[in-house]
Amino acid sequence: MPCLRFETAFYQPLQWCIEAGVAVFDGGAQGEHKMARGLMPVATHSAHWLAHPAFADAVENFLRCETQGIDAYLDELGERSPFRAPVSGKDAE
């Protein structure tokens, strides 16, 4: 069946969330390809622990730099969102 993965991993869970009134559905890590499926990319966080101190330091230094790039990329993708901006304040009245 074509698109079975998307049907089982995204479409059916999204339908359930809508019907159950669940406000947030986490489609998992990664980015722009999910926008075509109606999911905006979001930042994810890791809880990994690295036993080797020098390796842990190297990974921490890399992530400090990478975080800036990822944040900028998420902002860029947010600017291309296919969804209408939430209405707030006086506009909601």
Side-chain angles (χ1 to χ4, degrees), residues 49-82:
W49 175 78
L50 303 171
H52 191 282
F55 186 54
D57 288 343
V59 170
E60 184 177 341
N61 289 335
F62 170 79
L63 292 176
R64 202 173 295 119
C65 293
E66 184 192 43
T67 297
Q68 294 173 357
I70 294 296
D71 289 345
Y73 184 55
L74 288 174
D75 289 343
E76 180 184 329
L77 292 176
E79 291 170 5
R80 292 193 250 147
S81 171

Side-chain angles (χ1 to χ4, degrees), residues 12 38 45 71 88:
Q12 289 296 317
H45 302 278
D71 289 345
S88 61

Side-chain angles (χ1 to χ4, degrees), residues 16-41:
W16 179 85
C17 287
I18 292 167
E19 291 169 358
V22 175
V24 177
F25 174 79
D26 185 347
Q30 307 305 316
E32 67 278 359
H33 64 282
K34 291 195 175 155
M35 290 173 71
R37 301 277 187 251
L39 299 170
M40 289 301 295

